[in-house]
Structures are given as structure tokens and as C-alpha cells.
């Protein structure tokens, strides 16, 4: 989705610029036609043709991207958002998660990666499923060869098959229903909650025993000098501000990187710097999960290809 939206937006931004440029040059010659002006205009005809050709190319790219997006990607993204949040775009609670999932599973235009990702969101949203239901899903969707992309999440402590313990471990999230979001990107990564809690010194010490408390001025509770300082620009402010460094082992997504930017923008005294071992895409994440295995002797999880 990200790839097509970026191409479309850049194409749509470029088209008005080209149209304005061609139009202004045409208006400059109106009412002033003479033999010399006409000769100059004739010389520039190839240039105008080239500009028009560029416009047509951008329009075709934008149209192809939108056709691709409308045909499959838009509906798939909506299903993913509804399953991840448990609510639809109108804020109504999803009553039947299987009914939301089914259109993706029966759609032949979606590949196995799309279907497995949707199945995982369904399982996460219900905090696990029964072994019988899981076997039926794998068999009906015909993903037996890739079933480890689902089953191996147990190695990371994620409940796939329902247990009494899994029903009690669902953690609460911050209420962001009042925040403005796009319909197809309503989900907020958990890491944004962690960043905000770290800045406000609200992290649970049991879950984060090695994180020291942030300086008081970060959240406005500490004393701040009242001396007048010369105004500085944005870059100078960021250079002199405190920094919250977040490093994620195992990869981060583009949306998680965006969260670091958003939290930085919202905070007046702290810049969030985020890093990781690598960038995770939906396809790479599933491939990594499939490669997981565990040794029986030490219960150590590692990648099969390492």
C-alpha cells in the first residue's frame, strides 16, 4: 500500500506544476504575436510536446496505481484495520471477526502472505483460537507449507491456541479514538505508547526495570529557567534538546519509525531517536517467523538458517 500511495501522491503533485508552467508560457505570448514571436513559439513547440508527454506519463502512473489500489489493496487494508482495532472506521465494535476475515480468504487475488497476515490478525484479535479452528483455517486456505508462519508465534510468547492463561493476559491500550487518522491507517503501534510513557515517567518499573527516569523538564514538572534566551530555529532547538533513544532488537516497521517522529513533534523538550537491527516489512516478518525453531535442550529460540 505504501509503495502505491507514495507514487500516486508524487505524480499528482507533479501534474499541477507542469500544467501551470505550460499555461504561463502560453499566456505570455497571447496578444503579442508577431513574426519574431511566432518564430520563437515554433522553436519551442518540441519543448511543449515534451512537457505534455510528461504530464501524460504521470497521469498514467497515477491511474495505474489507483486502479491497483481500488481493486484489491483498499479492501484488504480495511479488513486489516478492523481486525487489528476490533472496530470499523465508524467506531462500531466488530461483532463477528470471522465474517470480516472471510472475504480475504476467498479472494483469489490475494496471495498466501496476505491471507496469513489476515488470519494472524484474526487470531490476535480473539486472543487465540482453538486447535480445531486453526487446523481448518490452514487446510481450507491451503497454506500447509507455510503454516509455520502462524504456529511459530508461540516461540515469541504469542498465544495462537487458546489457553486459560492467554485469556487473562490481554493488555489495555491508550484510548486514541479522538485523534485524527486516515481510515486505512487507524492502528497505532504499541511503541508509541511506550515512547510517550517514557517521556512522562509512566513506564511500569516491573516491565522496564532497567530504564532510568527521564529528566523532569521533559514532561513540564521540573523547574525551568525563566531567563530570556535568543530565539533559535527548529534544528538548533533539536540539537540542544534531551533525547530519548529507543533501540528495538529484531526489527522495526515504517509505521513505528513514524511514531518516533510524531512523538518528537508533540514533545517540546525531547527528541526521540529510534533504531533497530533492520527494517521489517510484512513479507520479511512472516519469513523470519517461519525460520524460527527451538532447541529442546536449552529451550533457545533461533533461526533455522543461522
Amino acid at each position: 500500500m505504501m509503495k502505491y500511495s507514495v507514487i500516486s501522491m508524487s505524480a499528482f503533485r507533479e501534474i499541477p506544476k507542469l500544467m501551470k508552467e505550460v499555461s504561463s508560457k502560453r499566456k505570455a505570448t497571447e496578444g503579442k504575436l508577431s513574426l519574431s514571436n511566432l518564430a520563437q513559439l515554433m522553436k519551442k513547440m518540441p519543448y511543449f510536446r515534451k512537457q505534455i508527454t510528461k504530464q501524460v506519463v504521470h497521469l498514467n502512473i497515477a491511474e495505474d496505481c489507483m486502479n491497483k489500489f481500488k481493486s484489491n489493496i483498499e479492501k484488504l487494508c480495511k479488513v486489516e484495520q478492523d481486525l487489528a482495532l476490533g472496530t470499523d472506521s465508524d467506531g462500531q465494535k466488530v461483532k463477528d471477526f470471522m465474517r470480516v476475515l472471510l472475504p480475504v480468504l476467498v479472494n483469489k487475488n490475494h496471495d498466501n502472505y496476505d491471507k496469513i497476515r489476515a488470519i494472524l490478525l484474526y487470531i490476535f484479535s480473539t486472543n487465540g483460537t482453538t486447535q480445531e479452528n486453526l487446523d481448518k483455517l490452514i487446510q481450507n486456505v491451503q497454506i500447509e507449507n507455510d503454516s509455520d508462519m502462524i504456529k511459530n508465534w508461540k516461540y515469541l510468547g504469542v498465544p495462537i491456541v487458546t489457553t486459560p492463561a492467554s485469556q487473562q493476559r490481554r493488555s489495555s491500550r491508550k484510548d486514541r479514538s479522538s485523534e485524527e487518522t486516515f481510515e486505512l491507517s487507524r492502528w497505532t503501534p504499541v511503541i508509541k505508547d511506550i515512547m510517550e510513557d517514557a517521556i512522562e515517567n509512566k513506564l511500569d518499573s516491573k516491565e522496564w526495570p532497567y530504564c532510568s527516569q527521564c529528566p523532569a523538564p521533559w514532561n513540564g514538572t521540573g523547574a525551568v529557567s525563566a531567563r530570556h534566551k535568543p530565539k533559535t530555529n527548529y534544528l538548533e532547538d533539536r540539537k540542544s534538546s534531551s533525547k530519548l533513544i529507543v533501540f528495538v532488537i529484531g526489527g522495526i516497521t515504517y509505521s513505528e519509525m513514524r511514531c518516533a517522529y510524531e512523538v518528537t513533534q508533540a514533545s517540546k523538550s525531547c527528541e526521540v531517536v529510534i533504531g533497530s537491527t533492520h527494517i521489517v516489512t510484512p513479507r520479511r516478518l512472516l519469513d523470519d517467523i517461519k525460520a524460527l525453531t527451538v532447541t529442546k535442550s536449552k529451550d533457545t529460540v533461533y533461526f533455522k538458517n543461522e
Side-chain angles (χ1 to χ4, degrees):
M1 173 187 170
M2 181 70 69
K3 176 176 67 176
Y4 294 107
S5 62
V6 169
I7 294 175
S8 299
M9 291 302 295
S10 62
F12 281 122
R13 283 196 296 265
E14 188 68 21
I15 292 169
K17 294 179 183 178
L18 295 173
M19 293 290 292
K20 188 175 181 180
E21 183 180 352
V22 174
S23 177
S24 62
K25 291 183 178 180
R26 285 180 175 175
K27 287 181 179 180
T29 59
E30 289 180 1
K32 299 179 181 179
L33 283 179
S34 62
L35 289 178
S36 60
N37 288 340
L38 187 59
Q40 291 293 327
L41 185 61
M42 292 298 292
K43 289 180 181 179
K44 292 182 179 179
M45 284 301 292
Y47 172 78
F48 287 131
R49 290 196 189 99
K50 185 177 180 181
Q51 294 296 91
I52 293 172
T53 302
K54 286 183 178 180
Q55 295 173 36
V56 172
V57 171
H58 281 88
L59 284 170
N60 289 338
I61 292 174
E63 185 178 4
D64 290 343
C65 289
M66 289 305 297
N67 288 338
K68 180 73 173 178
F69 176 76
K70 289 291 185 182
S71 61
N72 289 315
I73 300 174
E74 183 178 24
K75 294 179 181 178
L76 176 62
C77 290
K78 185 181 184 304
V79 168
E80 290 179 343
Q81 293 296 312
D82 291 352
L83 290 174
L85 288 166
T87 57
D88 59 20
S89 57
D90 296 324
Q92 299 297 317
K93 189 174 181 179
V94 175
K95 297 179 179 179
D96 189 344
F97 287 96
M98 181 55 72
R99 180 175 292 182
V100 176
L101 171 66
L102 195 58
V104 175
L105 302 185
V106 299
N107 192 328
K108 296 181 180 180
N109 293 323
H110 296 314
D111 60 22
N112 282 353
Y113 282 91
D114 292 335
K115 294 179 180 180
I116 290 172
R117 194 168 63 251
I119 290 174
L120 283 169
L121 285 171
Y122 162 75
I123 294 173
F124 296 162
S125 64
T126 56
N127 227 21
T129 186
T130 63
Q131 186 64 54
E132 181 183 2
N133 190 32
L134 178 61
D135 293 339
K136 285 182 179 179
L137 282 170
I138 293 173
Q139 182 179 0
N140 292 336
V141 184
Q142 299 179 349
I143 52 174
E144 289 86 351
N145 294 334
D146 294 322
S147 61
D148 283 347
M149 292 182 180
I150 299 175
K151 296 177 180 178
N152 283 1
W153 282 90
K154 63 185 179 183
Y155 296 142
L156 301 180
V158 179
I160 298 299
V161 177
T162 307
T163 62
S166 66
Q167 295 300 321
Q168 301 174 0
R169 66 195 306 177
R170 196 176 186 91
S171 59
S172 59
R173 292 290 311 277
K174 286 187 175 183
D175 182 14
R176 299 183 183 275
S177 57
S178 60
E179 297 181 5
E180 293 185 6
T181 57
F182 293 104
E183 181 181 352
L184 301 182
S185 58
R186 289 172 282 135
W187 166 260
T188 301
V190 176
I191 201 169
K192 187 172 185 178
D193 295 353
I194 297 172
M195 293 174 186
E196 292 174 344
D197 287 345
I199 293 176
E200 298 171 4
N201 285 327
K202 293 181 179 179
L203 285 179
D204 188 341
S205 58
K206 294 180 179 179
E207 294 184 2
W208 306 90
Y210 302 108
C211 288
S212 58
Q213 285 200 340
C214 300
W218 280 18
N219 53 24
T221 59
V224 181
S225 173
R227 295 178 182 177
H228 292 287
K229 296 181 180 179
K231 292 184 178 180
T232 57
N233 59 33
Y234 173 82
L235 292 177
E236 290 176 348
D237 287 340
R238 285 306 174 196
K239 287 180 181 179
S240 60
S241 65
S242 300
K243 290 180 173 57
L244 172 66
I245 300 175
V246 181
F247 189 86
V248 183
I249 299 175
I252 54 173
T253 63
Y254 292 108
S255 58
E256 289 173 329
M257 289 189 283
R258 184 184 71 240
C259 287
Y261 171 79
E262 292 172 348
V263 174
T264 298
Q265 293 295 102
S267 173
K268 297 180 179 180
S269 55
C270 176
E271 179 182 10
V272 181
V273 179
I274 192 169
S276 181
T277 50
H278 60 278
I279 294 175
V280 173
T281 62
R283 184 176 289 266
R284 176 168 182 178
L285 175 62
L286 294 179
D287 287 337
D288 287 348
I289 294 297
K290 185 179 181 179
L292 285 176
T293 188
V294 62
T295 58
K296 294 182 179 179
S297 58
K298 298 181 180 180
D299 290 336
T300 303
V301 179
Y302 66 97
F303 288 104
K304 294 177 182 177
N305 57 352
E306 291 185 354

